[in-house]
Amino acid sequence: MEFLGLLFMGLGIVSGYEGGSGWTDAHATFYGGGDASGTMGGACGYGNLYSEGYGTNTAALSTAMFNNGLSCGACFEMKCVNDQRWCKPGSIVVTATNFCPPNNALPSNAGGWCNPPLRHFDLAQPVFQQIAQYKAGIVPVSFRRVACMRKGGMRFTINGHSYFNLVLITNVGGAGDIVGVSVKGSRSPNWVPMSRNWGQNWQSNSNLDRQSLSFKVSTSDGRTVVSNNVAPAGWSFGQTFSGPQF
């Protein structure tokens, strides 16, 4: 059990997991500026991507890939393909941290890059420039799911108030994308399922004050990790705790 006041964790390196049948075609653009400051926050709820360990290797996903937020935390390897003028050699690995909304006022092949049913990654500018020239603007890519290899354990940030506990779960390894969370207070013998509020913020309406908390986290590959008594009985809203990793 560990309370983390300031979270200075290294950027996770991801490799080895294929959730699909190989490489799939898509397109990529970039946003957020040269320092990626415009990528902070986002629809997954991660807030400061530097302090949460994601750095600039991040992407906003189009509607077809975002899955209403369930794809948050998933990792993708991608490479620029079929454009000798703009592509650079090699591949990158990014974490899904945001949503790229559709722009129905523009056609899908001229500005509406994230319109359904397109598969599209809006990358943080620094990581885009690792696989393509800045002037390209948009490039064709191939991508595949890979495992998220994180430094340190999963993190649980507890927000809200009594009878409304909103827990943000970050730094998740393995598949990376969470499909189910349960919580158990030390005064209860039973696990209580939490509902996903938005992004990777999970909600419980139980009164969990003044008891140690355990969390059960399941990811899309069917694996489950239990963090027993990860938050001590004296926890306070706004605190972050670190548990085991996938």
Side-chain angles (χ1 to χ4, degrees):
M1 177 175 63
E2 179 183 4
F3 168 65
L4 303 178
L6 293 176
L7 298 169
F8 295 104
M9 305 296 290
L11 175 65
I13 301 172
V14 188
S15 63
Y17 170 84
E18 290 190 27
S21 58
W23 296 89
T24 302
D25 292 334
H27 284 83
T29 50
F30 63 87
Y31 77 116
D35 61 357
S37 59
T39 67
M40 299 297 121
C44 292
Y46 293 144
N48 188 318
L49 300 177
Y50 290 114
S51 62
E52 291 297 343
Y54 299 110
T56 61
N57 278 42
T58 62
L61 305 186
S62 63
T63 301
M65 301 185 64
F66 191 63
N67 197 18
N68 291 318
L70 284 173
S71 294
C72 289
C75 295
F76 301 88
E77 181 183 10
M78 75 180 64
K79 52 191 176 182
C80 184
V81 295
N82 303 325
D83 194 332
Q84 294 183 353
R85 180 183 181 189
W86 299 118
C87 288
K88 296 180 181 179
S91 66
I92 57 173
V93 175
V94 296
T95 302
T97 60
N98 203 355
F99 173 55
C100 182
N103 185 347
N104 295 319
L106 296 175
S108 297
N109 62 352
W113 313 124
C114 291
N115 292 349
L118 297 181
R119 292 184 293 266
H120 191 89
F121 295 87
D122 201 13
L123 302 173
Q125 183 179 326
V127 75
F128 176 90
Q129 290 184 252
Q130 292 180 32
I131 60 169
Q133 301 287 340
Y134 171 85
K135 290 183 179 180
I138 180 171
V139 292
V141 296
S142 288
F143 74 93
R144 62 181 178 181
R145 280 287 301 275
V146 294
C148 302
M149 303 295 294
R150 304 297 186 198
K151 291 186 177 181
M154 278 188 292
R155 302 185 198 127
F156 302 87
T157 301
I158 307 173
N159 294 304
H161 51 79
S162 299
Y163 296 102
F164 180 76
N165 304 277
L166 195 63
V167 180
L168 171 64
I169 305 176
T170 59
N171 203 51
V172 180
D177 51 345
I178 300 170
V179 297
V181 180
S182 296
V183 62
K184 183 165 72 71
S186 55
R187 296 199 298 266
S188 172
N190 301 317
W191 289 99
V192 177
M194 304 182 75
S195 59
R196 193 172 63 87
N197 187 289
W198 67 282
Q200 286 298 357
N201 285 279
W202 293 79
Q203 173 185 336
S204 168
N205 294 327
S206 302
N207 187 346
L208 301 173
D209 295 350
R210 296 182 296 280
Q211 51 187 315
S212 60
L213 304 181
S214 301
F215 295 97
K216 183 189 298 184
V217 177
S218 300
T219 48
S220 64
D221 59 353
R223 299 174 64 194
T224 297
V225 168
V226 176
S227 300
N228 284 313
N229 300 312
V230 68
W235 63 267
S236 299
F237 291 107
Q239 289 182 326
T240 299
F241 302 91
S242 181
Q245 186 57 270
F246 281 88

